[in-house]
Amino acid sequence: MFRYNVRGENIEVTEAIRDYVEKKVGKLERYFNDAPDATAHVNLKVYTEKTAKVEVTIPLPYLVLRAEETSPDLYASIDLVVDKLERQIRKFKTKINRKSRETGMNTSELFGNESSDNETDSELDIVRTKRLSLKPMDSEEAVLQMNMLGHNFFIFEDAETNGTSIVYRRKDGKYGLIETD
């Protein structure tokens, strides 16, 4: 059974909004045999340009479901986020079911009988492989390289730490850095 932590920024979370969130996100429980004991963290944000952003994170023992959606209508954003989460669950079920067929593992304890066969295994196939050698550089040079290539991310060897790092372009147009251990 999901517990709900519904938080609002620049919006008061009314009982109607809370009920709608619980009703929609609660539909995800049908994908599991025993509804997991998890907390659904829901953040609702309303911006000055009259858009609403909904973020939902559900940490489960074997995966973390997370999705966010922005639209002019709060309720539409909630619906779109739940659709994204359903797709994530179906993809995960398809992947687990394929692996279980290969290894003979029983996955019925994880998921209910909700059919996920409409997602084909071909969606998870790797269609291209690239090999690259990592050049030592700093993060600023990596951002420049990424922009020159027209990519949204760039993998490089950090010259200071000798570790593999990734720079990426965020949705807000700024840059992020992922460092590995």
Side-chain angles (χ1 to χ4, degrees):
M1 181 80 178
F2 289 156
R3 293 182 306 278
Y4 298 90
N5 176 8
V6 183
R7 212 176 104 240
E9 292 181 28
N10 301 329
I11 183 175
E12 180 184 340
V13 180
T14 64
E15 199 60 37
I17 293 172
R18 180 178 300 280
D19 289 344
Y20 192 80
V21 165
E22 290 180 8
K23 176 183 161 194
K24 290 296 188 172
V25 175
K27 288 182 179 182
L28 299 175
E29 291 182 24
R30 73 174 188 245
Y31 288 98
F32 305 95
N33 266 348
D34 296 321
D37 191 26
T39 301
H41 302 280
V42 182
N43 290 337
L44 309 171
K45 299 178 186 176
V46 176
Y47 298 108
T48 55
E49 64 269 7
K50 303 290 186 231
T51 59
K53 181 177 184 179
V54 176
E55 300 172 350
V56 177
T57 305
I58 306 172
L60 298 171
Y62 37 85
L63 89 145
V64 175
L65 297 172
R66 185 179 188 298
E68 63 182 58
E69 192 63 50
T70 304
S71 77
D73 180 19
L74 176 67
Y75 291 97
S77 293
I78 294 168
D79 292 343
L80 292 168
V81 153
V82 170
D83 290 345
K84 279 186 177 180
L85 292 169
E86 282 183 313
R87 281 192 302 273
Q88 288 178 17
I89 292 170
R90 286 194 305 266
K91 277 187 176 183
F92 182 73
K93 281 181 71 172
T94 300
K95 180 179 174 182
I96 292 297
N97 287 337
R98 186 177 68 229
K99 286 193 187 280
S100 71
R101 284 192 302 268
E102 292 170 0
T103 63
M105 184 178 87
N106 182 8
T107 60
S108 62
E109 67 274 0
L110 292 179
F111 297 108
N113 295 327
E114 185 71 26
S115 177
S116 68
D117 292 334
N118 56 355
E119 298 266 341
T120 62
D121 289 346
S122 63
E123 286 186 28
L124 303 174
D125 289 343
I126 296 173
V127 296
R128 184 174 181 188
T129 300
K130 280 189 172 184
R131 300 215 182 275
L132 59 119
S133 55
L134 303 180
K135 177 184 167 199
M137 62 180 75
D138 60 18
S139 58
E140 289 82 15
E141 183 180 349
V143 168
L144 292 172
Q145 290 285 329
M146 176 182 69
N147 287 335
M148 283 190 332
L149 293 169
H151 291 175
N152 292 324
F153 69 94
F154 188 80
I155 304 169
F156 66 101
E157 182 181 325
D158 190 311
E160 292 180 20
T161 65
N162 292 331
T164 303
S165 295
I166 303 166
V167 291
Y168 62 95
R169 184 175 298 109
R170 297 168 37 99
K171 288 180 182 177
D172 61 8
K174 297 180 181 174
Y175 298 100
L177 174 67
I178 300 172
E179 298 176 327
T180 60
D181 292 333

